[in-house]
Amino acid sequence: MSVFRSLKDLAVVLEKLKDFDRPVEVLEQYRTPGGIAATLAWEAMLRGDLEGRVVIDLGCGTGVIAYGFLALGARQAVCVDVDWRALGIARENLRDFEGFVELVAADVRYLHTAIPKDACTVAMNPPFGVKRRGADLEFLRVALGLCNTVYSIHKYVPRSMELLESTARSYGFRATPLARLWMTIKQRFKHHRRRIYRFEVELIRFVKERSEVG
Ligand code: SAH
């Protein structure tokens, strides 16, 4: 059972976790803000998509999202990132859950798991696809192939929801927007002219339609 009485308590703990040391720009390494990661996990808990499940955090970075899911009752976490240095930070951040976390250094595009699709939930804040166009959709396609339930954070741009929905539909999934929140990131990379970036993100739940075959 979770020790967190409120979403806010969890957000505070997540916000205190360690950030990337030297973020890699091309990998779009931004730590997911505590409030956003906490909301994603809370929504999953309320919908019964978390308790007892294996959470697969794709592009886990610092492990903030996996932490939130484990704290609210996920059975185990598989954290995948292509940057092994980021996994070192995730290891530190997830020390409270030692023995329940697998860290996997891999490119998600080539990832396969042997975990039954009903026993897992993907939780992710993929690259927004600004540096490498389409990276977010690439992550989504992988996620939809891994588990029957996916919780994901996407940069909100008008029409983006349509594209995500149609991708989901082609995989036999239904997409439900859960919340739209402001995300603030501090200037980390040289090309940023402004010190603070603020944009909207959409939290989305994808579930496999039971009527679909396969
Ligand atoms: N939720 C994370 C932040 C995600 S930022 C946190 O709060 O720390 C996106 C992450 O995706 C980065 O850590 C980056 O290294 C990783 N990434 C980018 N492309 C990837 C790929 N092809 N395969 C695996 N990980 C990737």
Side-chain angles (χ1 to χ4, degrees), residues 135-170:
D136 50 343
L137 277 182
E138 241 169 39
F139 266 64
L140 181 61
R141 287 193 198 99
V142 171
L144 299 176
L146 290 177
C147 306
N148 287 342
T149 314
V150 173
Y151 280 75
S152 189
I153 301 168
H154 296 271
K155 187 169 187 167
Y156 173 76
V157 273
R159 291 201 71 250
S160 62
M161 194 59 210
E162 270 171 50
L163 189 56
L164 294 168
E165 262 171 359
S166 65
T167 304
R169 221 174 305 120
S170 68

Side-chain angles (χ1 to χ4, degrees), residues 21-43:
D21 280 336
R22 279 167 292 155
V24 181
E25 182 169 7
V26 73
L27 294 175
E28 298 190 52
Q29 291 184 330
Y30 304 107
R31 194 183 60 153
T32 309
I36 294 178
T39 305
L40 195 71
W42 208 265
E43 291 285 341

Side-chain angles (χ1 to χ4, degrees), residues 15 17 25 36 71 82 104 120 141 152 210 213:
E15 191 57 34
L17 295 179
E25 182 169 7
I36 294 178
V82 75
V104 181
C120 61
R141 287 193 198 99
S152 189
R210 295 294 140 181
V213 181

Side-chain angles (χ1 to χ4, degrees), residues 35-87:
I36 294 178
T39 305
L40 195 71
W42 208 265
E43 291 285 341
M45 177 183 69
L46 295 179
R47 288 175 167 77
D49 291 331
L50 182 156
E51 182 98 43
R53 297 267 183 98
V54 177
V55 58
I56 304 182
D57 185 346
L58 295 182
C60 67
T62 61
V64 172
I65 292 179
Y67 193 113
F69 275 66
L70 286 164
L72 297 185
R75 189 159 62 113
Q76 202 184 319
V78 177
C79 301
V80 186
D81 205 288
V82 75
D83 179 7
W84 63 272
R85 283 190 304 114
L87 290 174

